[in-house]
Structures are given as C-alpha cells and as structure tokens.
Amino acid sequence: MFEVLSNEILAENLHKMVISAPRIARARKAGQFVIVRLAQGEERIPLTIGDADPAAGTITLFIQAIGGSTRKIVDTEAGGFIRDVAGPLGKETHITNWGRVACVGGGVGTAVLFPLVKALAEAGNEITTIIGGRSSRYIILADELTPLSKDFLVTTEDGSMGSKGFVTGPLAALLADPERGPQAVFAVGPVPMMKAVANLTRPQGIETVVSLNPIMIDGTGMCGGCRVQVGKETKFACVDGPEFDAHLVDFDGLTDRLTSYRDEEALRHAPHDCKLAKEVAK
Ligand code: NAD
Ligand code: FES
C-alpha cells in the first residue's frame, strides 16, 4: 500500500499528488512512468512520474481526472492509500547537453514535460519552454518551469494569457531565428500538436522527441495495447518508449488506435470490463 501524502488541485480536473514510494523515488529517471491501481479489480492507469524526492522517499504524480478510474484516484485524500504503484516503467529520457533545446507542452502534456525540462536544465541545456492551453485556466506548472528555462513562453487559444494561438506559433518563430534556433526539441501534448511540431522541425532535420500516451494495460510489453508504428517497426510504448523520434512516429495510426475505444471509454465509469483487462486485473 502506498500512502497519499498530499493532494492538490492545479487546474480544472488536474491534481498533483505526492505519494510515499521510497524504492521508486530512488530508482526513477526522467521520462519514466508508473502504473497505478487504486484497489484490487480497478483499472490500471499509467502515469508519468512528474518528480521524485529520493531523500523523502516520495514521488509526485500529475493526474487528469477524465474518467471514472482517474476520478477515484484523485478523490483519495492525504492520509489515504493506493493499493499498487508499479514502476518505474519505460525507458528513461536520453539526456545530453545539446546546447539550445526547445521544450513544448500542450495542455495537460505539460505535466509530462516538466521532468524532462528539469533533467535537461540539470544537464546544462539552455531551454526555451513553450506551453499552451485553451485558456489561462489550463496553463499549469508555470511557476515551476520558469526558473528552469532561459525563455518561458505561454500561448492560449483565447488570448487570456501569453500570446493568442497554438504553441506551434512561437516554436515556428524560434525555428526561423538562426541566433536562437534549438538543436533539439521535446514535445508532449495532444497527438495533433506533436504531429504539428514534428512537421515544423522535419525540414531542418532538428532532433525531435515526443512522449506518447497510447492505451496501456499491463505496461510490461505483454498485451500489445500500446503498440505504435515508428518508422518501419512496431514498438511498444511501455517498454520501448514512451519517448520516440517524432519524425518516425505514425501519428495518424496512433490517433486511430486512441479513438477506436472512445465510445467504451465514455460509457465506462467502472473498471475495465473487456476480457483482456479483466485477466490483467486479477
Ligand atoms: P488541448 O486540446 O487543450 O491542447 C492544448 C494545447 O496544445 C493547445 O492550446 C495548443 O497550444 C496545442 N495544440 C493542440 N492541438 C494542436 C494542433 N493541431 N497544432 C498545434 N498545436 C496544438 O489539450 P488538453 O485537453 O490539455 O490535453 C488532452 C490531450 O493531451 C489528450 O488527447 C491526451 O491524450 C493528451 N496527452 C498526452 C500526453 C502525452 O504524454 N503525450 C500526456 C497527457 C495528455
Ligand atoms: Fe501492454 Fe505496452 S501496455 S504491451
């Protein structure tokens, strides 16, 4: 059992939860995730490890409550317990000193971007962080990201904060600037955003990394739920990723897989009821 030490609301439906998990806190690297199960029989939810404090033995998770299972998790107050927190899972981010790096976060994807920015800053990179949301209500982690970034830019679709538009606006301007253009780009957010970022950086051949969040069930490479086409190869995001070369990812195939279960997702406020998920939940 894993104790919830704090539970704070960051934005609409977005919670920051600090959980006691000493072994994971010591072992985890940027880019890795855990699979959380609130209680026996509940759905397994993959969540990026947003931050960790090895000395305190804690990990921080940013959780968007979008379905029945995630709502139950964020309803767990400080002092409550989560039955399973399995991890760290997935490959750690390849971190090096590229020089200038652009980090782009769309909406709740900014929470996944945060540990990458932190690790890139610790490696000495000069970071331009660009985060965006529908309005100022959806801009998260600005206070945490600002001190890690040389330049910190915000976009909102309604213009209520920062510049009006998508994150790709300031990124395109940055790419066109020979003095400030990045040597590498990291992007995390909705699939259309990551695809748009890949299309912007491809002509210049700028190394571009995206973090994918396909459907995951077991998180161990056994079920095939998280498969994604990367170049000519089929990869499993849970063991081969979640980060991949943006210029090789089949974003359209990923969109098809993500949308194929939308009706079931909308209907479900209880644990996974498909046969495979029931087997895995046992
Ligand atoms: P959203 O739809 O509100 O978009 C957030 C921002 O992303 C927008 O304001 C814009 O700046 C940018 N964006 C969106 N579409 C774009 C496009 N076509 N071109 C350029 N920029 C674009 O995002 P949200 O509702 O906060 O996030 C929900 C989505 O994020 C879900 O689809 C979820 O699966 C995905 N997500 C992905 C990850 C990941 O690891 N990749 C993590 C969490 C959530
Ligand atoms: Fe099952 Fe990746 S989640 S193979």
Side-chain angles (χ1 to χ4, degrees), residues 207-231:
E207 188 169 347
T208 303
V209 177
V210 285
S211 179
L212 305 183
N213 68 332
I215 291 158
M216 285 193 190
I217 299 171
D218 66 334
T220 62
M222 302 293 285
C223 72
C226 67
R227 67 183 178 275
V228 57
Q229 203 66 28
V230 181

Side-chain angles (χ1 to χ4, degrees), residues 160-271:
S160 55
M161 189 175 173
S163 55
K164 189 171 179 176
F166 281 174
V167 283
T168 37
L171 179 65
L174 192 67
L175 294 172
D177 183 343
E179 304 281 304
R180 293 163 57 236
Q183 279 85 41
V185 174
F186 286 74
V188 191
V191 175
M193 181 210 104
M194 295 190 287
K195 182 180 176 183
V197 169
N199 287 341
L200 278 177
T201 59
R202 189 176 285 109
Q204 293 178 39
I206 297 170
E207 188 169 347
T208 303
V209 177
V210 285
S211 179
L212 305 183
N213 68 332
I215 291 158
M216 285 193 190
I217 299 171
D218 66 334
T220 62
M222 302 293 285
C223 72
C226 67
R227 67 183 178 275
V228 57
Q229 203 66 28
V230 181
K232 290 192 167 60
E233 294 177 77
T234 298
K235 298 280 189 185
F236 292 158
C238 66
V239 287
D240 300 318
E243 289 161 18
F244 294 101
D245 179 342
H247 297 152
L248 297 179
V249 170
D250 173 8
F251 289 106
D252 295 335
L254 178 59
T255 302
D256 285 347
R257 283 189 59 71
L258 282 169
T259 50
S260 54
Y261 299 100
R262 191 164 279 168
D263 292 346
E264 286 180 350
E265 287 278 324
L267 283 171
R268 198 189 59 234
H269 287 274

Side-chain angles (χ1 to χ4, degrees), residues 104-154:
V104 189
V108 73
T110 303
V112 178
L113 188 76
F114 172 65
L116 310 187
V117 175
K118 200 172 169 190
L120 288 162
E122 282 165 5
N125 289 283
E126 192 176 278
I127 300 167
T128 298
T129 302
I130 306 167
I131 64 169
R134 273 165 268 165
S135 74
S136 58
R137 285 165 57 208
Y138 298 93
I139 297 300
I140 56 167
L141 298 173
D143 291 345
E144 289 82 352
L145 286 165
T146 302
L148 300 170
S149 314
K150 181 164 186 293
D151 293 306
F152 178 73
L153 307 168
V154 171

Side-chain angles (χ1 to χ4, degrees), residues 11-135:
E12 197 169 293
N13 294 328
L14 184 72
H15 287 240
K16 174 183 176 180
M17 294 177 81
V18 177
I19 291 165
S20 175
R23 190 192 60 77
I24 300 171
R26 281 195 303 275
R28 83 37 104 164
K29 298 275 191 293
Q32 291 186 300
F33 66 96
V34 288
I35 289 197
V36 172
R37 188 168 66 153
L38 185 60
Q40 196 159 15
E42 289 287 350
E43 187 180 3
R44 290 157 190 254
I45 308 289
L47 295 166
T48 299
I49 304 168
D51 206 351
D53 183 339
T58 61
I59 59 170
T60 301
L61 303 176
F62 299 101
I63 306 171
Q64 191 188 27
I66 43 168
S69 302
T70 43
R71 280 208 186 91
K72 281 189 206 168
I73 292 172
V74 302
D75 281 347
T76 310
E77 292 175 4
F81 288 87
I82 292 173
R83 183 188 164 104
D84 297 320
V85 181
L89 300 169
K91 288 203 167 135
E92 64 184 270
T93 308
H94 167 61
I95 300 285
T96 188
N97 190 335
W98 277 276
R100 289 191 301 273
V101 177
C103 292
V104 189
V108 73
T110 303
V112 178
L113 188 76
F114 172 65
L116 310 187
V117 175
K118 200 172 169 190
L120 288 162
E122 282 165 5
N125 289 283
E126 192 176 278
I127 300 167
T128 298
T129 302
I130 306 167
I131 64 169
R134 273 165 268 165
S135 74

